[in-house]
């Protein structure tokens, strides 16, 4: 699966976002090393702090389905923003818990350009279990 296909899946899953408060749907597609793709969307709550972002939904769903650290190959994040939509800092920390620093993270914008970064680009000097 290439980055365009993965991003296409992230974009498609946007339709399932539950974002009645922000009206800012986000979709994520998480590629596993076995070729499985796990989707995630933001799931908001009237108590705003209970909201879960698309990236975390995808990671947590994968973990709930038995995937482990090291099983993750790439993630694509889609929204309809003018500039590339970056994962929030909480999602970066959750990604750092389960994914290797060199894992590709694909971002996109409303023009459908794709920016390829690594997790380490997004979260340098991450606090990990190695630091404890
Ligand atoms: N959101 C995500 O799902 N992922 C991000 O990386 C950025 C923010 C969601 C959370 C909330 O539902 C909405 O976007 C506005 O912040």
């Amino acid at each position: 699966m290439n980055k365009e296909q993965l991003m296409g899946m992230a974009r498609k899953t946007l339709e399932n976002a539950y974002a009645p408060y922000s009206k800012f749907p986000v979709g994520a597609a998480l590629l596993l090393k076995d070729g499985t793709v796990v989707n995630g969307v933001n799931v908001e709550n009237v108590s705003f702090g209970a909201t879960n972002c698309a990236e975390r939904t995808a990671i947590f769903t994968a973990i709930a389905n038995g995937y482990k650290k090291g099983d993750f190959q790439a993630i694509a994040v889609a929204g309809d923003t003018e500039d590339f939509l970056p994962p929030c800092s909480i999602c970066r920390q959750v990604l750092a818990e389960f994914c290797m620093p060199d894992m590709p993270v694909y971002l996109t914008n409303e023009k459908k350009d794709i920016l390829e970064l690594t997790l380490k680009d997004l979260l340098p000097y991450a606090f990990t279990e190695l630091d404890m």
Side-chain angles (χ1 to χ4, degrees):
M1 162 142 341
N2 62 34
K3 60 187 172 187
E4 286 79 16
Q5 289 170 316
L6 193 64
M7 187 57 79
M9 295 178 83
R11 211 170 262 294
K12 173 84 181 133
T13 205
L14 270 173
E15 295 165 14
N16 300 331
Y18 178 75
Y21 306 107
S22 71
K23 308 213 183 321
F24 186 76
V26 183
L30 178 64
L31 178 62
L32 284 302
K33 287 186 180 163
D34 68 2
T36 301
V37 176
V38 174
N39 294 313
V41 294
N42 49 338
V43 183
E44 297 188 344
N45 192 281
V46 63
S47 177
F48 295 169
T51 290
N52 207 59
C53 291
E55 299 90 324
R56 274 177 287 148
T57 302
I59 290 275
F60 295 158
T61 301
I63 295 298
N65 280 284
Y67 291 99
K68 310 283 183 214
K69 277 185 188 183
D71 289 341
F72 302 93
Q73 190 162 312
I75 188 167
V77 184
D80 279 318
T81 45
E82 193 180 338
D83 211 341
F84 294 105
L85 169 59
C88 83
S89 300
I90 298 173
C91 288
R92 295 178 198 206
Q93 183 65 34
V94 169
L95 288 165
E97 181 73 22
F98 296 105
C99 309
M100 299 301 288
D102 62 352
M103 188 185 84
V105 179
Y106 305 123
L107 309 183
T108 194
N109 57 17
E110 65 187 8
K111 287 193 291 178
K112 303 195 175 172
D113 302 317
I114 295 179
L115 175 65
E116 177 175 348
L117 300 170
T118 65
L119 179 54
K120 193 173 184 172
D121 292 329
L122 288 165
L123 189 60
Y125 297 100
F127 175 56
T128 70
E129 61 185 339
L130 303 175
D131 299 303
M132 289 189 60

